[in-house]
């Protein structure tokens, strides 16, 4: 780690996610870290990034973090505001969205996502989570999906308690069998590194670690025997400008 710059794992995860976004890409954004990453990318290297939110804001340009999809900050700077049915029927379901950003409570080796319950009994779970929202359709129809979550054995599990959003099901062919048009998860970004699906098996594979993190640390925080790429790269350290912008955005949500 640079002696001049200090950052925490959440900041590193957010910055790594922002770097994936490219200029003129159409991105379906969620609240929280996905919003932070998207706004950061738009202010840094992708000024023409086209942001779409579930609530109906199209090509928006928020200057601070929205507290929810209904936050007026999204509508104030949007090219247009349309009904939610149009967002799904026109933008999402026909495959017009390049990338969707999703969070998760649990994820398995085939990038299937759970945001519904913790526990095997749906009617009486240990924890009832926020639920699906538009995540199943985002996962099903976007050209690619990036999942963002913190890395721990409780989150990266051998078998998730409920499949809210299909990643690659049980492996190759599962998405086609389910009739999904989207390409599925292209990356899982965590506070420890980046995982990508193997082109043949679809199983998540560690391809990148963040500065100061070891491969063993990532494996210890995964509940299955995580595959590791033959050559694992190290994420570039955050720049001072990236850190300043991330911190300013986070601070804006508290005011």
């Amino acid at each position: 780690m640079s002696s001049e710059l200090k950052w925490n794992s959440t900041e590193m995860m957010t910055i790594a996610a922002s770097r994936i976004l490219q200029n003129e890409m159409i991105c379906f954004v969620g609240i929280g870290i996905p919003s932070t990453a998207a706004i950061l990318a738009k202010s840094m290297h992708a000024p023409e990034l086209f942001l779409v939110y579930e609530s109906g804001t199209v090509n928006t340009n928020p200057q601070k973090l929205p507290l929810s999809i209904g936050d007026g900050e999204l509508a104030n700077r949007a090219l247009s505001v349309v009904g939610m049915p149009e967002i799904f029927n026109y933008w999402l379901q026909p495959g017009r969205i390049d990338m969707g950003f999703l969070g998760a409570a649990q994820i398995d080796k085939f990038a299937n996502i759970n945001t519904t319950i913790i526990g095997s009994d749906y009617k009486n779970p240990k924890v009832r989570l926020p639920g699906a929202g538009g995540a199943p359709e985002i996962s099903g129809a976007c050209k690619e999906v990036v999942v963002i979550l913190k890395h721990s054995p409780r989150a990266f599990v051998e078998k998730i308690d409920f499949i809210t959003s299909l990643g690659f099901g049980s492996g190759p062919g599962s998405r086609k069998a389910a009739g999904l048009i989207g390409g599925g998860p292209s990356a899982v970004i965590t506070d420890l590194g980046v995982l990508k699906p193997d082109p043949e098996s679809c199983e998540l594979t560690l391809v990148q670690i963040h500065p100061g993190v070891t491969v063993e640390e990532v494996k210890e925080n995964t509940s299955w025997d995580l595959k590791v790429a033959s050559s694992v790269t190290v994420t570039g350290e955050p720049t001072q400008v990236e850190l300043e912008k991330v911190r300013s955005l986070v601070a804006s949500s508290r005011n």
Side-chain angles (χ1 to χ4, degrees):
M1 182 182 295
S2 167
S3 59
E4 292 82 15
L5 297 178
K6 303 290 184 182
W7 59 86
N8 62 43
S9 59
T10 300
E11 291 169 340
M12 183 72 258
M13 174 169 59
T14 304
I15 290 167
S18 77
R19 291 171 176 171
I20 285 183
L21 294 168
Q22 301 171 17
N23 218 24
E24 299 184 355
M25 178 180 280
I26 300 174
C27 182
F28 202 113
V29 192
I31 297 302
I33 291 177
S35 275
T36 313
I39 297 170
L40 175 63
K42 197 170 175 70
S43 69
M44 290 287 296
H45 62 273
E48 300 303 318
L49 181 63
F50 194 103
L51 303 182
V52 177
Y53 281 77
E54 184 176 338
S55 55
T57 53
V58 177
N59 197 15
T60 186
N61 186 27
Q63 300 302 296
K64 63 180 182 178
L65 286 185
L67 299 178
S68 71
I69 59 171
D71 194 321
E73 175 70 15
L74 296 175
N76 287 343
R77 294 178 172 84
L79 174 66
S80 64
V81 180
V82 301
M84 191 177 290
E86 182 173 329
I87 289 293
F88 284 87
N89 295 339
Y90 177 81
W91 287 99
L92 185 58
Q93 292 166 348
R96 290 186 168 93
I97 303 292
D98 295 316
M99 180 177 287
F101 264 21
L102 290 177
Q106 290 181 328
I107 191 168
D108 65 18
K109 67 174 65 179
F110 292 115
N112 299 303
I113 295 171
N114 174 24
T115 56
T116 303
I117 61 167
I118 300 298
S120 58
D121 187 348
Y122 180 82
K123 293 184 177 180
N124 297 287
K126 295 178 181 177
V127 178
R128 190 168 295 281
L129 301 167
E137 291 188 73
I138 294 169
S139 177
C142 290
K143 294 174 184 176
E144 61 178 305
V145 171
V146 171
V147 185
I148 307 172
L149 75 163
K150 291 194 173 183
H151 213 127
S152 74
R154 294 175 63 183
F156 284 73
V157 296
E158 183 77 32
K159 180 178 174 59
I160 60 178
D161 294 330
F162 188 95
I163 297 179
T164 307
S165 306
L166 193 71
F168 295 102
S170 57
S174 292
R175 292 185 64 85
K176 183 177 181 180
L180 303 181
I181 64 170
S186 60
V188 177
I189 299 176
T190 82
D191 52 342
L192 299 181
V194 179
L195 292 73
K196 292 188 176 182
D198 180 87
E200 295 184 2
S201 70
C202 296
E203 186 172 336
L204 290 176
T205 303
L206 179 66
V207 298
Q208 185 174 312
I209 53 176
H210 298 324
V213 176
T214 66
V215 170
E216 284 307 310
E217 186 178 354
V218 182
K219 289 175 68 68
E220 288 169 2
N221 280 278
T222 307
S223 293
W224 70 84
D225 185 13
L226 179 64
K227 288 187 174 181
V228 179
S230 57
S231 178
V232 177
T233 62
V234 178
T235 311
E237 293 186 355
T239 66
Q240 183 174 346
V241 174
E242 286 174 324
L243 284 172
E244 288 174 351
K245 286 185 177 292
V246 165
R247 289 167 183 172
S248 175
L249 284 169
V250 172
S252 74
S253 67
R254 298 171 181 158
N255 296 330

